[in-house]
Amino acid sequence: MINNNWWHEIVLYQVYPKSFQDTNHDGIGDIRGIIKRLDYLKDLGVNMLWLNPIFESPQVDNGYDVSNYHTIDPNFGTMEDVEELIKEAHKRDIKIIFDFVANHTSNQHPWFKEALKGKDNPYRDYYLWADGKGENGNDLPNNWQSFFGGSVWERESVNGQYYFHLFAKEMPDLNWENPIVREEITNIALFWLEKGIDGFRVDAFIHIGKEPGYPDVSGVLEGDIAIAEEFYAHQPNVNPYMKEWADTLRKDYPDIFIVGEAASSSPELGVEYSDPEKGGCNSVITFRYFTEDWDAKDSRIPGNLQPGQLKIVDFKQVMSEWQESFADMGGPTLYWNNHDMARVVSRFGNDSEEYREQSAKMLAALMYLQKGIPIIMNGEEIAMKNLEFHSLDDFVAPETKEFIQKSRVVGYKDEEILANLAATVKDASRGAMQWDDTEYAGFSTITPWGGVNQESKYNVLEQISREDSVFNFYKQLIKIKKSTLFKDGLWKLVPTSDSLYVYKRQMEENTALVICNLTEKEQEFVLPQEFVRKSYNILLENEHIRHYDNVITLGAYGATIIHQVL
Ligand code: GLC
Ligand code: CA
């Protein structure tokens, strides 16, 4: 099928601009900050950046509520800054993709302000409207719940109708059924491609279609609301609209890279969205890799805000399915965390002083040497842990309000709620990038907007100067990842106990094994027959690994990558 495309070589780095580097001393990261750090990123070895939204926005959802798609939010800088960033990145052979938010706009977008004026306004049909039920339309149009809590419907005062918002009520959903909306959206994308960017990460695209007639979710108590994925995710019109959009862009810009955020996508759907005959994406980002033990969670309160152990058997199964489904398409996207989830070393590694570096390295080896496109979140390469929280007031993510309230109702103490949220909340990954050990970690000269952990060891300055640091491990790993074997070779899971995650990469006679110990206990791995009595090179490993005869002994969170000598 579609093999050997240039984008199979991507090593993507996610920059959360707000938290990356502040250069004008207002506590908010900015575009000039990214420019300043391009040499650092070049040194790390990544070759594409994904920037979270930098467009003009009231910042109700940190930029995912766009009020003007053609201007840069003054918090981040100017259009000139962005043009310079693109130029400077390209000079270093680093491509740039932008976040493209087109499922919804801000309620401060001129389109929505117009639409609110009345049913006859030409912009009315840019958004989704429904009449309320019951007397005077006072009841909600249906029982669908928003991802940010509460109903998806919000009533407007002029006509008493309700508009649809899958996320915050300040983020009304666009009506993709309207061809004029689709044209506007295409033009916005073209505007940015003309500026020279190399593609998009498409936000929440799986939600652009909604079930016609807005039927109620069944089995929900009268007056209650419920998540309605069956009606507002993966609708049949999603892929045709994405394809129409992407085809138009690719006519003039054939080499762009489009990666879609497809949170609830199965491998089958992921393939459909990434199939050039059917959809618009080159690849997708599912949120389904991380199979936590939901049985151990308290079902009375939202499960996504309670920490959970990774269920290794299921995790291996899921990763295998994605690997197999995407085998002919360069592999799936490979990532451990992003701005919507807690940081991996805290979540699935071990962020105690003893094991933090060791487990961070192991997780990197486990994930990124598989077949596919690595997406590294800023700070992950220096083992940044979750931001520390000290009070329930510190949380800004909208879904935390409901969690706190529900937890209190069923009897949780505030310190227990704090512990749950601190371990899971998306705010935990949005702390300021740690550049050095000065106050505010070299991110800014004043208090950062979203908090900062100040640490002597897990900062860039310290990490680049020490040979055995996590940063230098990532750097070597990325080099290995770019080799043909790790880019194009077959991927195959090697059956082991739950304590280990082992896989093989193979290209004809060229074979490597990645062997990872997921536990704090020492583990032994017996080499498969084909490796026995042949010599192998160690490409990279972390601490406490012993090789003896045909047995490899891995200390806590050990990882080794071995390459068979032909
Ligand atoms: C995506 C983004 C998330 C945002 C949401 C609404 O899921 O990753 O941060 O809140 O879309 O745009
Ligand atoms: Ca700034």
Side-chain angles (χ1 to χ4, degrees), residues 89-113:
H90 286 171
K91 253 193 219 164
R92 293 164 178 80
D93 289 320
I94 297 175
K95 295 182 191 290
I96 290 209
I97 63 172
F98 280 1
D99 222 306
F100 195 71
V101 194
N103 173 69
H104 44 266
T105 68
S106 160
N107 64 350
Q108 298 306 305
H109 195 288
W111 297 340
F112 192 69
K113 288 187 176 169

Side-chain angles (χ1 to χ4, degrees), residues 153-439:
W153 299 105
E154 180 74 14
R155 201 166 196 185
E156 47 90 7
S157 51
V158 180
N159 293 280
Q161 273 197 313
Y162 292 78
Y163 67 85
F164 185 104
H165 63 91
L166 190 53
F167 298 92
K169 67 177 191 311
E170 295 87 354
M171 297 155 76
D173 281 44
L174 283 165
N175 175 16
W176 275 71
E177 294 290 312
N178 181 347
I180 303 172
V181 167
R182 301 205 299 277
E183 202 185 312
E184 296 259 26
I185 286 166
T186 306
N187 288 337
I188 292 165
L190 287 170
F191 171 85
W192 286 107
L193 292 173
E194 275 155 35
K195 293 262 176 223
I197 64 166
D198 304 284
F200 299 103
R201 176 263 190 192
V202 192
D203 187 62
F205 81 94
I206 58 172
H207 304 295
I208 59 176
K210 279 85 181 173
E211 178 82 23
Y214 307 132
D216 273 329
V217 183
S218 58
V220 179
L221 291 179
E222 189 71 38
D224 259 2
I225 49 174
I227 292 293
E229 282 267 316
E230 57 194 301
F231 297 134
Y232 52 52
H234 311 297
Q235 290 288 307
N237 55 1
V238 169
N239 229 10
Y241 287 156
M242 281 299 289
K243 179 166 163 50
E244 175 190 86
W245 177 74
D247 281 356
T248 313
L249 307 184
R250 289 203 175 102
K251 249 185 249 147
D252 291 335
Y253 302 94
D255 281 341
I256 51 173
F257 177 62
I258 297 177
V259 59
E261 183 208 22
S264 57
S265 176
S266 62
E268 293 72 30
L269 282 170
V271 167
E272 298 261 306
Y273 292 136
S274 312
D275 180 341
E277 301 297 320
K278 297 182 186 159
C281 299
N282 297 103
S283 198
V284 296
I285 301 169
T286 182
F287 280 30
R288 292 270 168 100
Y289 289 163
F290 311 115
T291 52
E292 291 186 344
D293 184 2
W294 277 62
D295 294 340
K297 298 189 183 195
D298 184 343
S299 60
R300 298 169 302 169
I301 51 175
N304 60 328
L305 294 174
Q306 301 171 58
Q309 289 275 320
L310 196 60
K311 283 171 91 173
I312 304 301
V313 177
D314 296 2
F315 177 64
K316 286 182 182 178
Q317 174 71 28
V318 172
M319 294 312 277
S320 303
E321 284 167 14
W322 280 89
Q323 282 290 332
E324 276 149 29
S325 307
F326 277 75
D328 294 333
M329 304 164 83
T333 54
L334 307 169
Y335 75 100
W336 274 122
N337 41 203
N338 59 39
H339 65 291
D340 288 328
M341 355 182 137
R343 285 200 173 264
V344 67
V345 72
S346 302
R347 186 176 177 197
F348 299 130
N350 184 328
D351 66 11
S352 69
E353 191 47 44
E354 190 175 3
Y355 294 126
R356 183 155 159 197
E357 291 212 312
Q358 176 83 348
S359 65
K361 291 175 185 170
M362 179 276 290
L363 290 169
L366 187 165
M367 185 58 79
Y368 300 128
L369 292 180
Q370 302 186 104
K371 189 165 182 173
I373 302 168
I375 310 178
I376 299 162
M377 186 185 183
N378 66 214
E380 186 193 314
E381 76 278 19
I382 52 167
M384 271 174 62
K385 63 172 183 176
N386 281 344
L387 199 58
E388 287 169 17
F389 296 92
H390 306 287
S391 142
L392 290 180
D393 300 329
D394 292 348
F395 300 110
V396 289
E399 57 275 23
T400 56
K401 282 200 197 70
E402 186 184 317
F403 184 82
I404 294 169
Q405 179 232 329
K406 284 190 172 163
S407 299
R408 280 180 178 153
V409 169
V410 296
Y412 280 87
K413 296 197 199 83
D414 277 8
E415 61 260 34
E416 294 166 331
I417 305 174
L418 182 74
N420 273 338
L421 286 177
T424 56
V425 72
K426 57 191 181 189
D427 307 340
S429 67
R430 300 177 180 185
M433 179 78 179
Q434 295 164 211
W435 295 104
D436 58 37
D437 64 357
T438 59
E439 201 178 10

